[in-house]
Protein backbone atom coordinates (compact mmCIF):
# COMPACT_ATOMS: atom_id res chain seq x y z
CA UNK A 1 0.00 0.00 0.00
CA UNK A 2 2.90 1.90 -0.94
CA UNK A 3 3.98 -0.51 1.75
CA UNK A 4 6.10 -3.58 1.15
CA UNK A 5 5.58 -7.04 2.58
CA UNK A 6 6.24 -7.19 6.30
CA UNK A 7 8.02 -10.50 6.03
CA UNK A 8 10.92 -8.90 4.20
CA UNK A 9 11.29 -5.63 6.08
CA UNK A 10 14.40 -6.71 7.91
CA UNK A 11 16.18 -3.74 9.38
CA UNK A 12 19.59 -4.93 8.30
CA UNK A 13 18.52 -5.39 4.71
CA UNK A 14 16.86 -2.01 4.59
CA UNK A 15 20.15 -0.42 5.54
CA UNK A 16 21.67 -1.52 2.24
CA UNK A 17 20.88 1.66 0.34
CA UNK A 18 23.09 1.89 -2.75
CA UNK A 19 25.17 4.98 -3.36
CA UNK A 20 22.98 7.22 -5.52
CA UNK A 21 22.68 10.88 -6.29
CA UNK A 22 21.30 13.20 -3.63
CA UNK A 23 19.32 16.18 -4.88
CA UNK A 24 19.72 18.18 -1.66
CA UNK A 25 20.71 17.76 1.97
CA UNK A 26 18.05 20.00 3.56
CA UNK A 27 14.33 19.82 2.95
CA UNK A 28 11.54 22.38 3.21
CA UNK A 29 8.62 21.61 5.49
CA UNK A 30 5.30 20.74 3.86
CA UNK A 31 2.54 23.30 3.39
CA UNK A 32 0.89 24.09 6.77
CA UNK A 33 -2.49 22.33 6.88
CA UNK A 34 -5.56 22.40 9.11
CA UNK A 35 -8.58 20.18 9.65
CA UNK A 36 -8.48 16.45 8.91
CA UNK A 37 -4.85 15.81 8.06
CA UNK A 38 -4.65 12.06 8.76
CA UNK A 39 -3.96 10.26 5.50
CA UNK A 40 -1.83 7.50 3.97
CA UNK A 41 -0.76 7.08 0.32
CA UNK A 42 -2.64 10.15 -0.96
CA UNK A 43 -3.81 10.86 -4.49
CA UNK A 44 -5.10 14.42 -5.02
CA UNK A 45 -7.11 15.97 -7.84
CA UNK A 46 -8.84 19.31 -8.42
CA UNK A 47 -12.49 18.96 -9.46
CA UNK A 48 -14.23 21.29 -11.97
CA UNK A 49 -15.94 23.21 -9.13
CA UNK A 50 -12.52 24.14 -7.75
CA UNK A 51 -12.60 21.78 -4.79
CA UNK A 52 -9.82 19.30 -4.19
CA UNK A 53 -10.46 15.65 -3.40
CA UNK A 54 -7.90 13.29 -1.89
CA UNK A 55 -8.28 9.52 -1.63
CA UNK A 56 -6.03 7.33 0.47
CA UNK A 57 -5.36 3.99 2.12
CA UNK A 58 -7.63 3.47 5.13
CA UNK A 59 -11.33 2.70 5.37
CA UNK A 60 -12.85 1.79 2.02
CA UNK A 61 -10.45 4.24 0.41
CA UNK A 62 -10.84 7.25 2.68
CA UNK A 63 -11.76 10.61 1.15
CA UNK A 64 -10.87 14.18 2.11
CA UNK A 65 -12.11 17.45 0.59
CA UNK A 66 -10.64 20.96 0.51
CA UNK A 67 -11.43 24.29 -1.15
CA UNK A 68 -7.95 25.76 -0.80
CA UNK A 69 -5.43 22.88 -0.38
CA UNK A 70 -4.79 23.93 3.24
CA UNK A 71 -7.98 23.06 5.17
CA UNK A 72 -9.22 19.50 4.74
CA UNK A 73 -12.43 17.82 5.89
CA UNK A 74 -13.35 14.16 6.21
CA UNK A 75 -15.63 13.11 3.34
CA UNK A 76 -16.19 9.43 4.14
CA UNK A 77 -15.03 6.76 1.70
CA UNK A 78 -14.90 6.15 -2.01
CA UNK A 79 -17.16 3.11 -1.63
CA UNK A 80 -20.04 2.50 0.76
CA UNK A 81 -19.36 -1.26 0.82
CA UNK A 82 -16.41 -3.33 -0.42
CA UNK A 83 -16.90 -5.09 -3.77
CA UNK A 84 -17.22 -8.84 -3.15
CA UNK A 85 -14.15 -9.76 -5.20
CA UNK A 86 -11.85 -7.92 -2.80
CA UNK A 87 -12.24 -10.78 -0.33
CA UNK A 88 -10.47 -13.09 -2.77
CA UNK A 89 -7.28 -11.12 -2.09
CA UNK A 90 -7.75 -9.80 1.43
CA UNK A 91 -9.82 -11.37 4.22
CA UNK A 92 -10.86 -7.94 5.50
CA UNK A 93 -11.37 -6.37 2.04
CA UNK A 94 -8.78 -3.70 2.80
CA UNK A 95 -7.79 -1.62 -0.27
CA UNK A 96 -4.49 0.27 -0.59
CA UNK A 97 -2.80 3.11 -2.41
CA UNK A 98 -5.39 4.63 -4.79
CA UNK A 99 -4.59 6.59 -7.94
CA UNK A 100 -7.10 9.15 -9.29
CA UNK A 101 -7.13 10.42 -12.89
CA UNK A 102 -9.60 12.00 -15.32
CA UNK A 103 -10.02 11.08 -18.98
CA UNK A 104 -12.73 10.59 -21.59
CA UNK A 105 -15.38 12.34 -19.50
CA UNK A 106 -14.97 10.16 -16.42
CA UNK A 107 -12.87 9.91 -13.30
CA UNK A 108 -10.88 6.71 -12.95
CA UNK A 109 -9.80 5.32 -9.59
CA UNK A 110 -7.22 2.54 -9.45
CA UNK A 111 -6.32 0.83 -6.17
CA UNK A 112 -4.66 -2.31 -4.82
CA UNK A 113 -6.08 -5.26 -2.91
CA UNK A 114 -3.60 -7.69 -1.39
CA UNK A 115 -2.45 -9.22 1.88
CA UNK A 116 0.66 -8.16 3.76
CA UNK A 117 3.70 -10.15 2.71
CA UNK A 118 2.37 -11.79 -0.47
CA UNK A 119 2.43 -10.90 -4.16
CA UNK A 120 -0.88 -12.58 -4.90
CA UNK A 121 -2.39 -9.17 -5.52
CA UNK A 122 -4.82 -7.24 -7.69
CA UNK A 123 -5.18 -3.71 -8.98
CA UNK A 124 -8.84 -2.77 -9.31
CA UNK A 125 -10.49 0.00 -11.32
CA UNK A 126 -13.62 2.07 -10.74
CA UNK A 127 -15.20 5.03 -12.54
CA UNK A 128 -17.28 8.01 -11.49
CA UNK A 129 -18.95 10.94 -13.28
CA UNK A 130 -17.94 13.39 -10.52
CA UNK A 131 -14.93 11.96 -8.69
CA UNK A 132 -16.73 12.36 -5.37
CA UNK A 133 -16.99 9.69 -2.65
CA UNK A 134 -20.03 7.45 -2.90
CA UNK A 135 -20.32 7.84 -6.69
CA UNK A 136 -17.94 5.10 -7.80
CA UNK A 137 -18.85 2.08 -9.92
CA UNK A 138 -16.36 -0.74 -9.55
CA UNK A 139 -15.27 -2.71 -12.63
CA UNK A 140 -13.21 -5.45 -11.02
CA UNK A 141 -9.52 -6.28 -11.43
CA UNK A 142 -7.53 -4.38 -14.03
CA UNK A 143 -4.31 -6.31 -13.49
CA UNK A 144 -3.25 -9.12 -11.15
CA UNK A 145 -0.15 -10.96 -9.97
CA UNK A 146 0.32 -14.44 -8.55
CA UNK A 147 2.96 -15.99 -6.31
CA UNK A 148 4.66 -17.38 -9.41
CA UNK A 149 5.24 -13.84 -10.75
CA UNK A 150 8.38 -11.84 -10.09
CA UNK A 151 6.44 -8.63 -9.45
CA UNK A 152 3.67 -7.43 -7.14
CA UNK A 153 0.50 -5.85 -8.57
CA UNK A 154 -0.03 -3.09 -6.02
CA UNK A 155 0.59 0.68 -5.86
CA UNK A 156 -0.95 1.66 -9.21
CA UNK A 157 -0.12 4.85 -11.12
CA UNK A 158 -1.71 5.57 -14.51
CA UNK A 159 -0.34 7.89 -17.20
CA UNK A 160 -1.19 8.61 -20.83
CA UNK A 161 1.84 8.75 -23.12
CA UNK A 162 2.25 8.61 -26.86
CA UNK A 163 -1.49 8.17 -27.36
CA UNK A 164 -1.46 5.06 -25.17
CA UNK A 165 -2.44 4.33 -21.59
CA UNK A 166 0.08 2.89 -19.13
CA UNK A 167 -0.04 1.41 -15.64
CA UNK A 168 3.03 1.64 -13.41
CA UNK A 169 2.99 -0.50 -10.30
CA UNK A 170 5.15 -2.48 -7.92
CA UNK A 171 6.36 -3.13 -4.43
CA UNK A 172 9.44 -5.08 -3.36
CA UNK A 173 9.97 -8.36 -5.25
CA UNK A 174 11.60 -6.97 -8.42
CA UNK A 175 10.58 -3.36 -7.87
CA UNK A 176 8.68 -1.08 -10.22
CA UNK A 177 7.04 -2.41 -13.38
CA UNK A 178 4.76 -1.12 -16.14
CA UNK A 179 2.18 -2.56 -18.52
CA UNK A 180 -0.22 -1.15 -21.11
CA UNK A 181 -3.94 -0.66 -20.52
CA UNK A 182 -6.91 -0.76 -22.87
CA UNK A 183 -8.24 2.84 -22.85
CA UNK A 184 -11.82 1.63 -23.37
CA UNK A 185 -11.93 -0.70 -20.37
CA UNK A 186 -9.09 0.69 -18.26
CA UNK A 187 -7.79 -2.86 -17.86
CA UNK A 188 -4.53 -4.48 -18.92
CA UNK A 189 -4.23 -5.45 -22.56
CA UNK A 190 -4.09 -9.19 -23.09
CA UNK A 191 -0.50 -10.45 -23.43
CA UNK A 192 0.92 -6.93 -23.04
CA UNK A 193 4.59 -7.05 -22.00
CA UNK A 194 5.55 -6.07 -18.46
CA UNK A 195 8.37 -3.53 -18.56
CA UNK A 196 10.90 -3.16 -15.75
CA UNK A 197 11.49 0.43 -14.55
CA UNK A 198 13.31 0.40 -11.21
CA UNK A 199 14.78 -1.93 -8.62
CA UNK A 200 17.64 -2.23 -6.16
CA UNK A 201 20.60 -4.61 -6.30
CA UNK A 202 19.98 -6.32 -2.96
CA UNK A 203 17.06 -8.10 -1.28
CA UNK A 204 14.47 -7.14 -0.14
CA UNK A 205 14.48 -4.71 -3.12
CA UNK A 206 12.81 -2.02 -1.02
CA UNK A 207 11.33 0.23 -3.68
CA UNK A 208 7.63 0.74 -4.32
CA UNK A 209 4.82 3.24 -4.86
CA UNK A 210 5.59 4.65 -8.34
CA UNK A 211 4.23 7.90 -9.71
CA UNK A 212 5.06 9.22 -13.19
CA UNK A 213 4.93 12.84 -14.33
CA UNK A 214 5.58 14.25 -17.80
CA UNK A 215 7.44 17.58 -17.91
CA UNK A 216 9.62 19.34 -20.46
CA UNK A 217 10.02 16.39 -22.80
CA UNK A 218 10.88 13.89 -20.05
CA UNK A 219 8.98 11.38 -17.97
CA UNK A 220 9.87 11.49 -14.28
CA UNK A 221 9.54 8.36 -12.17
CA UNK A 222 9.07 9.00 -8.45
CA UNK A 223 9.27 6.05 -6.06
CA UNK A 224 9.34 5.36 -2.32
CA UNK A 225 12.45 3.62 -0.98
CA UNK A 226 13.01 1.74 2.30
CA UNK A 227 10.50 0.98 5.06
CA UNK A 228 6.96 2.27 5.37
CA UNK A 229 4.31 1.97 8.03
CA UNK A 230 6.39 1.98 11.23
CA UNK A 231 5.40 5.40 12.56
CA UNK A 232 8.39 7.50 13.61
CA UNK A 233 10.66 4.53 12.86
CA UNK A 234 9.69 4.57 9.18
CA UNK A 235 12.63 5.11 6.85
CA UNK A 236 10.64 5.93 3.72
CA UNK A 237 12.15 8.49 1.35
CA UNK A 238 11.31 9.61 -2.18
CA UNK A 239 13.71 9.21 -5.10
CA UNK A 240 13.29 10.19 -8.74
CA UNK A 241 14.79 9.57 -12.16
CA UNK A 242 13.87 10.60 -15.69
CA UNK A 243 13.56 9.14 -19.18
CA UNK A 244 12.64 10.27 -22.69
CA UNK A 245 10.40 7.19 -22.94
CA UNK A 246 7.62 6.32 -20.51
CA UNK A 247 8.86 2.72 -20.42
CA UNK A 248 12.41 3.78 -19.52
CA UNK A 249 15.27 3.53 -18.98
CA UNK A 250 15.06 6.00 -16.08
CA UNK A 251 18.31 7.50 -14.82
CA UNK A 252 19.32 9.94 -12.09
CA UNK A 253 21.50 13.05 -12.44
CA UNK A 254 24.69 10.97 -12.26
CA UNK A 255 23.50 8.76 -15.12
CA UNK A 256 22.88 5.76 -12.85
CA UNK A 257 19.88 3.74 -14.07
CA UNK A 258 17.04 3.21 -11.60
CA UNK A 259 17.26 -0.44 -12.63
CA UNK A 260 20.70 -0.42 -10.99
CA UNK A 261 19.59 1.22 -7.75
CA UNK A 262 19.84 4.81 -9.00
CA UNK A 263 17.53 7.70 -8.18
CA UNK A 264 18.06 11.27 -6.99
CA UNK A 265 17.00 11.76 -3.39
CA UNK A 266 14.08 14.20 -3.56
CA UNK A 267 12.66 14.11 -0.03
CA UNK A 268 13.70 12.39 3.19
CA UNK A 269 12.67 12.59 6.83
CA UNK A 270 13.59 15.75 8.73
CA UNK A 271 12.50 17.26 12.02
CA UNK A 272 9.00 16.12 12.93
CA UNK A 273 8.38 14.78 9.40
CA UNK A 274 9.43 11.11 9.53
CA UNK A 275 9.35 8.69 6.61
CA UNK A 276 7.83 10.72 3.75
CA UNK A 277 6.54 8.55 0.91
CA UNK A 278 3.49 7.03 -0.75
CA UNK A 279 3.75 9.95 -3.15
CA UNK A 280 1.76 11.19 -6.11
CA UNK A 281 1.83 14.38 -8.17
CA UNK A 282 -0.88 16.71 -9.44
CA UNK A 283 -1.14 20.02 -11.26
CA UNK A 284 -3.35 22.96 -10.35
CA UNK A 285 -3.36 26.67 -11.19
CA UNK A 286 -0.13 26.44 -13.13
CA UNK A 287 1.77 24.69 -10.34
CA UNK A 288 2.89 21.09 -9.86
CA UNK A 289 2.55 19.56 -6.41
CA UNK A 290 3.96 16.54 -4.65
CA UNK A 291 1.49 14.83 -2.29
CA UNK A 292 2.71 12.23 0.20
CA UNK A 293 2.26 11.03 3.76
CA UNK A 294 4.69 11.49 6.62
CA UNK A 295 4.66 10.31 10.23
CA UNK A 296 4.31 13.17 12.68
CA UNK A 297 6.90 12.78 15.44
CA UNK A 298 5.05 15.34 17.54
CA UNK A 299 1.81 13.33 17.35
CA UNK A 300 2.85 9.77 18.13
CA UNK A 301 3.81 8.97 14.56
CA UNK A 302 0.33 9.62 13.12
CA UNK A 303 0.40 9.54 9.30
CA UNK A 304 -0.48 12.95 7.85
CA UNK A 305 -0.78 14.65 4.49
CA UNK A 306 2.29 16.41 3.13
CA UNK A 307 2.11 18.87 0.22
CA UNK A 308 5.09 20.56 -1.39
CA UNK A 309 5.32 22.45 -4.63
CA UNK A 310 7.72 21.00 -7.19
CA UNK A 311 10.21 23.28 -8.93
CA UNK A 312 12.71 22.42 -11.65
CA UNK A 313 16.46 22.86 -11.50
CA UNK A 314 18.62 21.83 -14.48
CA UNK A 315 15.80 19.61 -15.68
CA UNK A 316 15.37 17.85 -12.33
CA UNK A 317 12.58 18.29 -9.76
CA UNK A 318 13.22 19.77 -6.32
CA UNK A 319 10.73 20.39 -3.52
CA UNK A 320 9.91 23.91 -2.46
Amino acid sequence: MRSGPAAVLAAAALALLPATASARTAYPDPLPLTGQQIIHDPTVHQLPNGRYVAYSTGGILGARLSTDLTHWTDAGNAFTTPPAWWYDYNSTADPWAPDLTYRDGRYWLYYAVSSWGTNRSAIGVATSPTGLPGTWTDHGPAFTSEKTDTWNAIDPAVIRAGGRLWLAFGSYWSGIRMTELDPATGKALADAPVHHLATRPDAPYAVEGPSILHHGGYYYLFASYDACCAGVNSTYKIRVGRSKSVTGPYTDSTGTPMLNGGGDLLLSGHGRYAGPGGESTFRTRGKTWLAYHYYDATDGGTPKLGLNQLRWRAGRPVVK
Side-chain angles (χ1 to χ4, degrees):
M1 51 187 184
R2 309 205 197 279
S3 56
V8 295
L9 292 181
L14 288 170
L16 296 175
L17 179 66
T20 53
S22 176
R24 56 194 300 144
T25 57
Y27 306 97
D29 294 344
L31 188 72
L33 304 182
T34 59
Q36 177 54 277
Q37 302 174 47
I38 298 174
I39 208 164
H40 210 275
D41 308 322
T43 180
V44 180
H45 196 90
Q46 187 175 26
L47 303 174
N49 63 8
R51 285 194 297 175
Y52 298 90
V53 63
Y55 289 101
S56 68
T57 297
I60 317 176
L61 297 176
R64 310 281 185 263
L65 289 172
S66 175
T67 60
D68 59 6
L69 277 185
T70 60
H71 182 77
W72 293 84
T73 59
D74 192 330
N77 297 277
F79 298 97
T80 54
T81 57
W85 70 268
W86 291 6
Y87 291 97
D88 294 337
Y89 291 89
N90 186 298
S91 62
T92 59
D94 179 27
W96 300 343
D99 176 74
L100 177 63
T101 56
Y102 180 83
R103 62 180 176 84
D104 301 331
R106 291 190 288 177
Y107 291 88
W108 297 74
L109 188 68
Y110 288 80
Y111 57 86
V113 187
S114 185
S115 296
W116 198 266
T118 177
N119 69 328
R120 184 178 182 274
S121 308
I123 292 170
V125 60
T127 57
S128 164
T130 66
L132 290 170
T135 67
W136 292 95
T137 299
D138 191 68
H139 301 290
F143 184 74
T144 63
S145 60
E146 297 295 334
K147 293 180 179 179
T148 52
D149 290 318
T150 57
W151 54 78
N152 192 13
I154 71 169
D155 293 2
V158 174
I159 184 170
R160 297 182 83 161
R164 298 157 74 179
L165 192 66
W166 301 91
L167 172 70
F169 64 91
S171 172
Y172 287 63
W173 276 267
S174 59
I176 308 303
R177 298 277 185 157
M178 173 174 276
T179 195
E180 189 173 356
L181 301 178
D182 181 341
T185 65
K187 299 185 177 184
L189 289 171
D191 301 319
V194 176
H195 304 274
H196 204 181
L197 306 187
T199 191
R200 296 172 68 170
D202 302 297
Y205 315 109
V207 54
E208 57 188 0
S211 179
I212 298 180
L213 173 70
H214 186 250
H215 175 85
Y218 286 93
Y219 295 93
Y220 292 83
L221 172 61
F222 301 81
S224 298
Y225 283 59
D226 294 332
C228 169
C229 312
V232 296
N233 296 317
S234 300
T235 57
Y236 244 13
K237 54 184 65 70
I238 301 170
R239 292 183 177 270
V240 61
R242 74 180 189 182
S243 173
K244 283 287 188 179
S245 168
V246 73
T247 57
Y250 289 87
T251 59
D252 63 26
S253 59
T254 70
T256 304
M258 293 184 80
L259 278 171
N260 292 341
D264 291 306
L265 184 57
L266 180 72
L267 185 63
S268 187
H270 59 286
R272 63 184 278 196
Y273 307 102
E279 74 291 329
S280 61
T281 62
F282 66 100
R283 290 188 172 103
T284 180
R285 299 174 183 173
K287 298 178 180 179
T288 303
W289 291 84
L290 180 75
Y292 56 93
H293 68 254
Y294 67 88
Y295 300 94
D296 190 344
T298 66
D299 191 19
T302 300
K304 295 184 178 180
L305 176 61
L307 294 172
N308 286 82
Q309 189 180 343
L310 284 179
R311 292 290 183 89
W312 303 91
R313 182 181 301 159
R316 303 282 174 171
V318 295
V319 287
K320 176 185 175 184

